[in-house]
Amino acid sequence: MSELARVTTSVLDIAYEHSGPEHGALAVLLHGYPYDVRSFDEVVRRLNGQGMRTIVPYLRGYGGTRFLRSDTPRSGEQAALAHDLLEFMDQLQISQALLGGFDWGGRAACIAAALWPERVIGLVGGGGYLIQNNDNAAKPLNLAQEQAYWYQYYFHSARGRRCLEDNRHALGAHIWRLWSPDFAFSDATYNATAKSFDNADFVDVVLHSYCHRTGSADGDPRYAETERLLRSQPKIGVPTITLHGASDGVTPVSLSQNEERFFTGQYEKRVLTSVGHNIPMEAPEQFAQAVLDLAP
């Protein structure tokens, strides 16, 4: 049974769930938008059953995680998420862990593996290599992918902000259906996650995430050096398994073609049939097995 706990970093009071044997091999699991820790429930159950310890934090802007100061920028940029992860591990005195994540969480895990590999035993990345190439932010992708990114452009507008403020639950459910077309989730399953979107900072963090990646919003200066390092698209040398849903409605498998060039160590890509974007919830057995395959 997972227990809720809290830890304080330089900018956040982070809520997280932990479970499993105290001295088992540790996996830190990271969610994205519009999801939360509930995406990993079945993964956690399987890993705990195999003797692993699991920690699943709520990202900034979600659930019980709170900013410590009102004047801290509500940044959703990739470097902020990565530093949240690093500080989280520091405060819990975690010297090394297996990292597993998807969407925003997969991006934070990729960055940690690339920049601080001594802290990462192995990486399970849902969606592949997710470090954003912000230098190419103004370069359009193919038109089908541009259409799939409608929500990102929508969030640049006052109308998009109003929709996220007033209809965050309905919008999230719509995105779940678009991104995971083969996933027949129930209202109860969705609602268990959607309550995390009632966080007071949710809207600002989400909007900043999508505006920053296109160069439409400035980043938090405290992460500027890390963002500079990420512009080089750093390679990942830790043992890695990437998982990609064949039915992913926002990041198709084609986007991860030739991604092996970003990995210099042990690397394997697994494509999951009839699985969309919410990989750990849609395919918990496969996600858990990938973590177990990298466990010491």
Side-chain angles (χ1 to χ4, degrees):
M1 182 70 177
S2 293
E3 296 182 28
L4 184 66
R6 314 189 70 86
V7 67
T8 300
T9 67
S10 64
V11 297
L12 296 174
D13 177 31
I14 298 178
Y16 67 96
E17 294 185 0
H18 64 100
S19 59
E22 182 178 354
H23 300 294
L26 173 62
V28 177
L29 306 172
L30 303 153
H31 70 84
Y33 169 82
Y35 308 101
D36 82 337
V37 303
R38 300 277 69 81
S39 285
F40 290 101
D41 282 350
E42 286 301 308
V43 174
V44 163
R45 185 178 67 81
R46 286 168 166 80
L47 294 180
N48 293 164
Q50 293 297 315
M52 289 193 69
R53 178 184 172 211
T54 54
I55 293 179
V56 193
Y58 289 86
L59 298 190
R60 53 172 58 199
Y62 294 79
T65 293
R66 296 290 185 270
F67 285 84
L68 300 178
R69 294 174 56 91
S70 61
D71 59 353
T72 300
R74 271 39 178 177
S75 173
E77 65 193 280
Q78 59 179 350
L81 301 176
H83 278 275
D84 290 348
L85 171 59
L86 183 65
E87 289 193 47
F88 178 76
M89 292 175 64
D90 287 345
Q91 291 303 310
L92 290 179
Q93 299 183 325
I94 298 168
S95 59
Q96 285 188 314
L98 280 157
L99 300 181
F102 72 109
D103 199 83
W104 292 14
R107 183 164 297 115
C110 282
I111 294 171
L115 299 185
W116 310 298
E118 70 281 1
R119 308 296 297 273
V120 183
I121 296 169
L123 169 67
V124 176
Y129 182 90
L130 295 179
I131 299 176
Q132 294 159 0
N133 186 351
N134 289 342
D135 280 349
N136 285 338
K139 182 180 179 180
L141 297 170
N142 66 73
L143 293 181
Q145 193 59 47
E146 292 292 285
Q147 181 180 20
Y149 284 163
W150 64 271
Y151 64 100
Q152 299 189 17
Y153 310 129
Y154 189 43
F155 288 160
H156 281 61
S157 69
R159 184 170 178 149
R161 169 179 278 275
R162 179 68 178 271
C163 181
L164 191 61
E165 288 173 342
D166 295 350
N167 302 295
R168 66 192 73 184
H169 290 196
L171 179 58
H174 182 62
I175 287 174
W176 274 37
R177 288 188 288 269
L178 291 178
W179 293 0
S180 298
D182 297 323
F183 182 34
F185 59 90
S186 67
D187 289 345
T189 295
Y190 175 72
N191 290 335
T193 284
K195 61 186 180 182
S196 281
F197 309 157
D198 293 328
N199 185 302
D201 299 306
F202 175 77
V203 171
D204 286 339
V205 171
V206 170
L207 294 179
H208 185 266
S209 173
Y210 293 109
C211 290
H212 179 268
R213 67 184 68 183
T214 63
S216 302
D218 293 333
D220 185 333
R222 80 187 70 205
Y223 307 120
E225 175 58 19
T226 298
E227 288 289 352
R228 185 190 67 79
L229 293 174
L230 296 178
R231 288 201 295 269
S232 70
Q233 297 281 271
K235 291 182 169 54
I236 294 173
V238 306
T240 299
I241 296 172
T242 64
L243 304 174
H244 211 128
S247 300
D248 193 322
V250 66
T251 53
V253 177
S254 60
L255 287 188
S256 61
Q257 286 179 348
N258 303 316
E259 72 172 8
E260 62 274 5
R261 71 188 186 278
F262 294 114
F263 299 94
T264 60
Q266 173 190 337
Y267 162 77
E268 180 185 355
K269 176 181 177 179
R270 301 176 183 176
V271 177
L272 308 179
T273 303
S274 299
V275 173
H277 196 67
N278 190 358
I279 296 173
M281 186 176 279
E282 297 177 64
E285 184 174 358
Q286 293 96 319
F287 199 102
Q289 187 59 56
V291 173
L292 292 168
D293 288 345
L294 295 178

